[in-house]
Amino acid sequence: MIRVLLDDLAFVAVDAVLRPADERLAPLTPAMARLDQHAGERFAELRRVGSPLGAGAAVVTGGGALAAPFVVHLVLREAGGAVTRDAVRRALLAGWQRAADWGLARVAAPLVGMGAGALASEEAAGLLVESFAARPTPACPEELSIVVEREDERELVEAIVQRNSA
């Protein structure tokens, strides 16, 4: 099931949130930087990595002070590289697999890849919906909440969800 929420990702009560990141799990957008600030210092410690991760990877950490107890970090960009549609798609599929591995049934996500300079909102929403339908373990996660910040985004994403589920 996919639903669209007009909310703040930091306060959505789900099992995990998807968080776009770079190869060192640093935030890629101002919205993710705000999420990190809300998550607190413990979260900053949890997301430290010893060596850079490849684009398309996904890792799970605790959620710090977020409403969600876990965060699935999606690596969209490597050092010096750009965010690509392929990296977003691979990271989303890896993220769904990590969520299944951890038994995370309810997941919330921003428009992954948007704002990081690569994808338009329509393309980001389409990739979320398509990758969720193609997740490796269809029973888990069972619910995706796409979280947007503006009413016009909510209407656009709802239309894409309805079009892709018809």
Side-chain angles (χ1 to χ4, degrees):
M1 174 174 88
I2 299 175
R3 55 189 193 142
V4 183
L5 303 175
L6 183 62
D7 208 335
D8 185 325
L9 199 57
F11 302 106
V12 179
V14 290
D15 299 325
V17 296
L18 298 185
R19 178 184 170 272
D22 71 6
E23 75 284 354
R24 294 242 177 230
L25 301 186
L28 286 177
T29 65
M32 291 305 100
R34 286 191 309 274
L35 181 81
D36 288 10
Q37 286 178 332
H38 184 77
E41 187 57 36
R42 175 73 179 128
F43 179 71
E45 293 171 18
L46 291 170
R47 66 176 180 79
R48 288 200 176 101
V49 294
S51 58
L53 301 167
V59 296
V60 177
T61 68
L66 299 175
F70 296 99
V71 173
V72 180
H73 306 270
L74 305 177
V75 181
L76 304 186
R77 183 180 73 199
E78 295 176 4
V83 175
T84 65
R85 185 182 199 289
D86 182 59
V88 172
R89 184 189 58 74
R90 287 184 293 120
L92 283 166
L93 291 174
W96 302 135
Q97 183 61 56
R98 294 293 96 48
D101 293 346
W102 284 67
L104 305 171
R106 298 174 308 124
V107 175
L111 291 173
V112 177
M114 189 183 122
L119 306 179
S121 55
E122 296 88 351
E123 191 172 17
L127 273 173
L128 266 173
V129 172
E130 292 165 19
S131 68
F132 187 73
R135 63 198 181 280
T137 308
C140 191
E142 60 191 47
E143 182 180 301
L144 167 61
S145 296
I146 302 174
V147 180
V148 297
E149 296 179 348
R150 297 186 332 262
E151 180 62 28
D152 62 322
E153 286 178 325
R154 187 190 62 75
E155 291 172 3
L156 172 76
V157 175
E158 282 183 347
I160 290 168
V161 168
Q162 287 177 1
R163 181 175 62 232
N164 285 318
S165 38

